[in-house]
């Protein structure tokens, strides 16, 4: 495994590889921006609650279940299902950084894949908001393979990615930010791996 602190540094490590596969959250963009976007959408639906966005994000930063915590304090627990629906289904206000756009353009001669865990509706919304479909030839949301049991470190998504590109595992690299789950399956299969040590990552 190779470790990088800046994602654009991966270019020198993938020159001789055919397939470059990325994680999504906290790899191609900082997931905290999605969290902020969701909280702002919730707050916009409850204008009568003072500083709801600030309350949600402060609770989040303090490691609490932000929606539960704020709704409980406001005596609004009956609104929990609606808040979760808003958060999970909102159109996220997120974007790729200039550096990431440059990186993906530099890699356009490669076969690019994306493997991400999470609720399909939320992950699809992120993919659309970030405009990733124009960069990636193959995108796999692991939950869509049959449920949460297919999330990393399950091997299924990596096997499907290899089959889709008709290559060998040693021609592939997986780039992610979660040291606890991202690299178990690809390393077992014989893929190269790059750990993006994202200082702004939620699960660092």
């Amino acid at each position: 495994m190779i470790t990088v602190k800046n994602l654009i540094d991966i270019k020198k490590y993938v020159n001789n590889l055919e397939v470059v596969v990325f994680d999504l959250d906290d790899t191609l963009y900082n997931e905290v921006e999605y969290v902020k976007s969701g909280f702002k959408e919730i707050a916009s639906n409850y204008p009568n609650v003072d500083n709801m966005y600030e309350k949600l994000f402060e609770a989040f930063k303090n490691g609490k279940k932000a929606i539960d915590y704020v709704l409980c304090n406001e005596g609004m627990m009956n609104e929990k299902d609606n808040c979760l629906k808003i958060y999970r289904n909102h159109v996220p206000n997120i974007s790729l950084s200039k550096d990431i756009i440059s990186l993906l353009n530099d890699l356009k001669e490669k076969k690019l894949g994306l493997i991400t865990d999470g609720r399909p509706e939320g992950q699809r919304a992120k993919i659309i908001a970030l405009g990733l479909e124009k960069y990636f030839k193959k995108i796999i949301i692991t939950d869509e393979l049959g449920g949460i049991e297919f999330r990393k470190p399950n091997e299924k998504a990596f096997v499907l990615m290899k089959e889709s590109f008709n290559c060998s595992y040693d021609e592939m690299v997986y780039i992610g930010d979660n040291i606890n789950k991202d690299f178990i399956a690809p390393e077992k299969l014989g893929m190269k791996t790059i750990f993006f040590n994202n200082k702004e990552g939620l699960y660092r």
Side-chain angles (χ1 to χ4, degrees):
M1 180 191 300
I2 295 166
T3 298
V4 297
K5 293 185 178 180
N6 191 325
L7 203 62
I8 63 175
D9 290 338
I10 72 164
K11 287 187 287 186
K12 60 187 175 184
Y13 299 113
V14 303
N15 284 337
N16 298 322
L17 297 173
E18 181 178 353
V19 178
V20 181
V21 186
F22 287 87
D23 173 46
L24 174 57
D25 299 306
D26 277 335
T27 300
L28 290 175
Y29 83 106
N30 290 326
E31 191 175 2
V32 68
E33 297 305 318
Y34 177 79
V35 174
K36 290 178 179 178
S37 175
F39 288 167
K40 288 176 181 176
E41 187 69 20
I42 291 173
S44 71
N45 281 268
Y46 294 93
N48 295 328
V49 180
D50 291 337
N51 303 314
M52 190 168 192
Y53 166 74
E54 289 77 8
K55 291 173 180 175
L56 285 166
F57 192 61
E58 187 65 24
F60 172 79
K61 289 193 297 182
N62 290 329
K64 302 181 185 300
K65 290 185 176 180
I67 293 174
D68 286 19
Y69 181 81
V70 173
L71 292 181
C72 183
N73 285 345
E74 298 291 331
M76 297 170 53
M77 283 302 289
N78 60 312
E79 293 294 323
K80 178 178 177 178
D81 287 347
N82 188 52
C83 286
L84 289 174
K85 182 179 179 181
I86 291 169
Y87 184 89
R88 291 169 178 169
N89 294 290
H90 84 285
V91 177
N93 182 20
I94 55 177
S95 60
L96 296 176
S97 70
K98 291 180 180 179
D99 282 348
I100 297 301
I101 292 172
S102 176
L103 171 65
L104 294 176
N105 283 326
D106 287 345
L107 296 176
K108 63 185 178 182
E109 300 304 320
K110 304 286 185 182
K111 297 175 181 177
L112 298 186
L114 182 72
I115 294 176
T116 180
D117 294 337
R119 294 174 179 273
E121 62 273 22
Q123 299 309 96
R124 285 288 169 196
K126 295 172 188 176
I127 289 164
I128 292 169
L130 294 171
L132 296 180
E133 290 174 315
K134 67 182 177 182
Y135 297 107
F136 291 91
K137 294 182 176 68
K138 180 70 173 178
I139 295 175
I140 298 176
I141 299 173
T142 55
D143 283 31
E144 293 181 343
L145 300 179
I148 61 173
E149 64 267 31
F150 289 98
R151 293 181 182 181
K152 295 169 284 185
N154 191 295
E155 298 176 11
K156 183 66 173 180
F158 297 94
V159 173
L160 290 174
M161 189 67 70
K162 181 236 183 208
E163 292 174 350
S164 176
F165 287 128
N166 191 28
C167 62
S168 62
Y169 288 117
D170 61 8
E171 296 174 305
M172 302 173 68
V173 62
Y174 188 64
I175 302 150
D177 70 290
N178 191 325
I179 200 74
N180 294 315
K181 68 169 185 175
D182 281 345
F183 310 112
I184 296 171
E187 289 185 346
K188 182 178 179 182
L189 292 169
M191 292 174 59
K192 310 290 191 300
T193 55
I194 298 176
F195 168 46
F196 173 36
N197 189 5
N198 186 354
K199 64 181 180 180
E200 298 180 25
L202 292 187
Y203 306 105
R204 191 180 184 215

